[in-house]
Amino acid sequence: MTEHDDARSRWRCRRGMKELDILLERFLKSRFAAMDNQEKVVFSDFLNLSDPQLADFLLNGVVPAVPDEVVELVAERVQAINCTGGLWTRFRRGQRVHVLSGKMEGLAEVVEEPRSPEDRVRVLLEFMGRQVPAQVPWLNLRPIERTALALRLRT
């Protein structure tokens, strides 16, 4: 799919129901860029459903009549998303993370976990020998594995 097709998909996510707008636009922001072309084509086909069909499926769990191969692709994608922690990475209070953004780059500890993908994560950032509170978008954080942290603390 081309950039034009991506913009068209964004436009097609704007529906006649506010609930659908919110759900589809959040999905678009959090996952669309990482989708391969086949997944984008399936998503485009999904958007061909009428508003009532989309609402029944997304809000009430009523599965519309779709070809089996589409159902299988969607099921595989949902399973892959669930295996990686869902649509967005959740950070737990007390978890050590690495901040990847600009001037705030460094080690931090999560103070308050985000409640939604739009929320920023409140962290205590190590800066000049002390911990400074900061709010960082969850996309700019990476968890630190305990083994990597233990090795780093030993050196």
Side-chain angles (χ1 to χ4, degrees):
M1 292 186 88
T2 66
E3 189 174 319
H4 172 72
D5 294 328
D6 290 355
R8 180 175 159 83
S9 291
R10 266 191 294 286
W11 176 253
R12 292 182 64 211
C13 283
R14 299 192 60 171
R15 309 299 285 216
M17 294 176 62
K18 186 172 185 160
E19 295 88 348
L20 290 178
D21 290 350
I22 292 169
L23 288 170
L24 293 172
E25 287 177 11
R26 281 186 180 171
F27 175 81
L28 216 65
K29 286 179 184 176
S30 66
R31 290 293 177 174
F32 191 76
M35 293 170 68
D36 63 29
N37 281 340
Q38 182 183 13
E39 293 169 328
K40 288 180 180 181
V41 168
V42 170
F43 184 68
S44 178
D45 290 343
F46 178 71
L47 293 176
N48 287 334
L49 294 173
S50 68
D51 284 0
Q53 286 177 309
L54 281 173
D56 277 346
F57 177 66
L58 295 173
L59 303 173
N60 302 323
V62 177
V63 179
V66 293
D68 288 340
E69 59 270 7
V70 172
V71 172
E72 289 171 11
L73 279 172
V74 170
E76 288 173 10
R77 185 67 181 151
V78 167
Q79 184 177 14
I81 289 170
N82 289 337
C83 287
T84 60
L87 287 178
W88 56 289
T89 305
R90 291 167 176 84
F91 295 97
R92 298 174 316 282
R93 184 181 180 132
Q95 182 178 4
R96 299 283 292 173
V97 293
H98 186 84
V99 179
L100 303 174
S101 61
K103 296 178 181 177
M104 294 193 322
E105 187 171 329
L107 295 178
E109 183 175 321
V110 176
V111 175
E112 183 180 324
E113 44 193 86
R115 292 183 183 88
S116 76
E118 288 81 25
D119 286 348
R120 291 175 169 256
V121 181
R122 292 185 60 212
V123 299
L124 287 175
L125 186 64
E126 294 178 12
F127 181 72
M128 296 182 71
R130 59 186 184 148
Q131 293 189 327
V132 178
Q135 293 186 4
V136 182
W138 68 271
L139 287 169
N140 294 344
L141 297 176
R142 293 293 176 267
I144 297 175
E145 300 296 326
R146 290 196 181 274
T147 54
L149 179 60
L151 289 173
R152 186 171 181 175
L153 292 176
R154 287 184 194 160
T155 58

